[in-house]
Amino acid sequence: MTEIAARPATYEDLLKVPDHLVAEIIDGELYTSPRPASPHARASSVLGGVLVNTYDLGTSGPGGWWVIDEPELHLGPHVLVPDLAGWRRERMPQIPNVAWFELSPDWVCEVVSPDTGRLDRIKKMPKYAANGVGHLWLIDPLQRTLEVYGLENGRYFVLSSHGGEEKVHAEPFAEAELPLASLWI
């Protein structure tokens, strides 16, 4: 008996996913996740606001970054949607007018939830590493933690771990103080 292999997911398959779901393609497989619950949305929104005000708009800090909510990344055959991503302006002088980005970001943040934590850690982290994303943050709003990873020789290593109500200076945004308590509901 011959087994017929399932065909790899295509971008057309991704476009058919209802708008209330986040759709990604990893290793030819289509993954869908529900839109985030309020603890997730709060953490991502506050963090994005802090980073945009400090690093993107440059109104009160060092500037030099583009920070974008839920960008669609086309990294080789993979379509990933991190909660936040940032590009150094020296690598991407202008934000292109595109539906997705093919240039790997310099930093991504995944806000993990019970529905997405496994996908973020097992499937997405290795793809970010393989595509040269220099820093990765994992935020767990239910556990109230931040894990900061740095890329070295194609693999991520924990640079620091934080939690609760700490005030954090975390790579690659160490110039700004991030009060973790502001991320939590």
Side-chain angles (χ1 to χ4, degrees):
M1 177 176 245
T2 306
E3 289 188 30
I4 299 174
R7 71 170 176 78
T10 65
Y11 197 70
E12 289 73 32
D13 296 327
L14 185 141
L15 292 175
K16 293 176 187 173
V17 172
D19 289 341
H20 69 280
L21 298 172
V22 176
E24 300 174 290
I25 298 174
I26 305 169
D27 294 325
E29 191 170 342
L30 179 65
Y31 291 88
T32 61
S33 305
R35 288 282 168 194
S38 57
H40 180 128
R42 168 69 184 184
S44 182
S45 295
V46 170
L47 177 61
V50 167
L51 295 178
V52 165
N53 285 333
T54 306
Y55 291 92
D56 187 316
L57 299 176
T59 57
S60 63
W65 287 80
W66 300 114
V67 178
I68 300 177
D69 291 326
E70 294 188 347
E72 185 174 305
L73 306 177
H74 288 219
L75 305 179
H78 313 291
V79 179
L80 306 174
V81 182
D83 293 293
L84 292 162
W87 289 261
R88 294 178 191 274
R89 290 186 189 199
E90 62 201 30
R91 286 187 57 242
M92 188 169 79
Q94 295 182 324
I95 297 175
N97 183 8
V98 295
W100 62 76
F101 296 86
E102 294 179 347
L103 178 65
S104 296
D106 296 292
W107 165 84
V108 294
C109 178
E110 293 287 359
V111 181
V112 300
S113 68
D115 291 331
T116 65
R118 183 174 173 84
L119 179 66
D120 293 336
R121 291 177 184 281
I122 305 299
K123 296 288 186 176
K124 294 173 78 172
M125 277 183 75
K127 301 311 178 210
Y128 292 138
N131 284 278
V133 177
H135 289 88
L136 168 73
W137 289 11
L138 294 179
I139 294 178
D140 187 328
L142 300 180
Q143 297 297 316
R144 297 182 176 201
T145 60
L146 164 63
E147 299 168 30
V148 178
Y149 294 86
L151 186 65
E152 187 176 311
N153 297 322
R155 295 186 55 207
Y156 283 119
F157 292 90
V158 176
L159 296 177
S160 59
S161 297
H162 309 278
E165 298 187 10
E166 285 183 62
K167 293 181 179 171
V168 175
H169 294 268
E171 292 296 329
F173 304 110
E175 297 92 347
E177 183 173 86
L178 174 63
L180 289 183
S182 66
L183 304 180
W184 321 135
I185 289 181

